[in-house]
């Protein structure tokens, strides 16, 4: 049985050719030919059964045969906001695995103790697309440009909001327990993860004053990318439980 090939094509219904990078992979690597069937993913909730109509050296065209709207796999919007690590490969690993698990949005925070204050998101976009195709997700996570911490907490006031940290001076609840409790704020959830040196105590207090709930991720002390992935997994598991009720 021939393996089904998936391609990321934004606005797939409004165009008839694969993006350049996808076209190169289809023609030069996979050697697809006219008549071959593929599945297109628009990243915003739909798959498309399509047939290749032209496979040239730098161009690959298709004809859509059927539209396959997908149902969301979890309720609400799962938003992770984290301070990127000094070594970007750790953020890239986290993003790949978080996309496979399933979440909706990644924001990058510039915090007091941040080790990295500039991030080029183009590579992160490519990693998210590859993970989306690998895991057959119908939605591509939104990746936002880096934003100052204070600006982020002032402009994100919807849904349930949590800040994970390690300070004993600020009482903490367990994130997973909080996520599993019914909330009048609905299923949308945002979790903030700090840099390797943690948020500053002033940042934690600022977030709590803005309505974020102070939480921990358990008894283990985790590296930034591990904490971020754990937070995504907790959001996903909690929302999956909500969806099954």
């Amino acid at each position: 049985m021939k393996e089904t090939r998936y391609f990321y094509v934004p606005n797939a219904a409004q165009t008839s050719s694969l993006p350049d990078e996808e076209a190169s992979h289809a023609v030069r690597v996979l050697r697809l030919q006219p008549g071959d069937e593929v599945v297109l993913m628009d990243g915003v909730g739909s798959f498309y059964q399509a047939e290749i109509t032209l496979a040239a050296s730098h161009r690959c065209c298709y004809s859509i045969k059927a539209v396959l709207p997908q149902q969301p796999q979890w309720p609400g919007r799962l938003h992770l906001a984290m301070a990127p690590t000094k070594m970007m490969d750790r953020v890239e690993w986290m993003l790949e695995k978080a996309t496979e698990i399933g979440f909706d949005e990644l924001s990058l925070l510039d915090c007091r103790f941040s080790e990295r204050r500039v991030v080029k998101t183009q590579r992160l976009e490519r990693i998210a697309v590859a993970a989306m195709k690998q895991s057959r997700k119908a939605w591509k996570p939104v990746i936002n440009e880096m934003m100052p911490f204070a600006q982020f907490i002032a402009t994100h006031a919807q849904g349930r909001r949590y800040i994970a940290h390690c300070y004993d001076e600020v009482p903490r609840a367990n994130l997973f327990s909080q996520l599993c409790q019914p909330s009048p704020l609905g299923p949308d959830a945002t979790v903030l993860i700090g840099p390797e040196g943690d948020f500053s105590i002033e940042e934690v207090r600022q977030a709590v004053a803005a309505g974020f709930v102070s939480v921990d991720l358990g008894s283990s002390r985790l590296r930034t990318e591990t904490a971020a992935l754990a937070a995504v997994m907790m959001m996903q598991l909690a929302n999956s439980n909500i969806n099954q009720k």
Side-chain angles (χ1 to χ4, degrees):
M1 183 177 179
K2 195 170 183 179
E3 181 182 357
T4 301
R5 303 295 184 175
Y6 286 74
F7 296 92
Y8 174 55
V9 187
N11 301 313
Q14 283 74 52
T15 185
S16 61
S17 59
L18 299 183
D20 291 345
E21 188 172 342
E22 295 281 62
S24 178
H25 183 68
V27 175
R28 297 186 177 185
V29 179
L30 301 178
R31 300 186 182 279
L32 296 184
Q33 300 293 327
D36 285 341
E37 294 185 353
V38 296
V39 175
L40 313 179
M41 318 166 80
D42 63 7
V44 291
S46 290
F47 290 167
Y48 302 83
Q49 289 183 344
E51 180 181 300
I52 300 299
T53 58
L54 173 68
S57 57
H58 297 289
R59 193 178 182 199
C60 186
C61 298
Y62 60 83
S63 174
I64 292 176
K65 302 300 181 183
V67 181
L68 307 172
Q70 303 296 298
Q71 294 298 317
Q73 296 178 323
W74 55 87
R77 187 168 185 82
L78 310 184
H79 187 175
L80 173 70
M82 67 176 290
T85 55
K86 184 176 181 180
M87 303 300 293
M88 278 303 294
D89 59 341
R90 290 161 58 188
V91 177
E92 293 167 2
W93 173 86
M94 186 287 303
L95 174 60
E96 178 184 75
K97 303 312 174 188
T99 302
E100 292 175 8
I101 292 168
F103 79 128
D104 299 291
E105 187 170 1
L106 172 66
S107 292
L108 303 170
L109 302 177
D110 184 2
C111 303
R112 179 179 176 183
F113 298 141
S114 289
E115 298 179 291
R116 174 178 288 273
R117 301 188 184 279
V118 177
V119 173
K120 296 180 180 179
T121 58
Q122 295 93 328
R123 177 170 170 80
L124 295 180
E125 289 283 354
R126 292 195 294 271
I127 289 169
V129 167
M132 178 190 73
K133 292 193 294 183
Q134 174 67 31
S135 56
R136 307 296 190 251
K137 295 290 190 298
W139 281 266
K140 184 185 77 65
V142 174
I143 300 175
N144 300 315
E145 298 290 340
M146 184 173 283
M147 179 182 296
F149 175 85
Q151 181 182 349
F152 183 89
I153 65 170
T155 55
H156 289 73
Q158 302 300 316
R160 295 173 294 168
R161 298 172 296 156
Y162 306 94
I163 180 167
H165 64 91
C166 299
Y167 291 102
D168 292 333
E169 298 95 315
V170 182
R172 291 163 291 164
N174 179 263
L175 175 61
F176 188 65
S177 296
Q178 289 287 309
L179 289 167
C180 289
Q181 293 178 9
S183 171
L185 298 175
D188 291 0
T190 298
V191 179
L192 276 57
I193 301 295
E196 286 297 316
D198 209 342
F199 296 109
S200 70
I201 187 67
E202 292 82 8
E203 287 171 329
V204 173
R205 288 171 173 157
Q206 185 180 5
V208 171
F212 285 77
V213 176
S214 170
V215 296
D216 62 45
L217 304 176
S219 59
S220 297
R221 192 175 182 91
L222 306 175
R223 297 181 73 167
T224 295
E225 71 277 12
T226 311
L229 189 60
V232 169
M233 193 69 205
M234 290 178 189
M235 286 191 285
Q236 178 61 255
L237 287 173
N239 268 19
S240 294
N241 289 337
I242 292 173
N243 202 30
Q244 292 172 3
K245 291 180 179 179

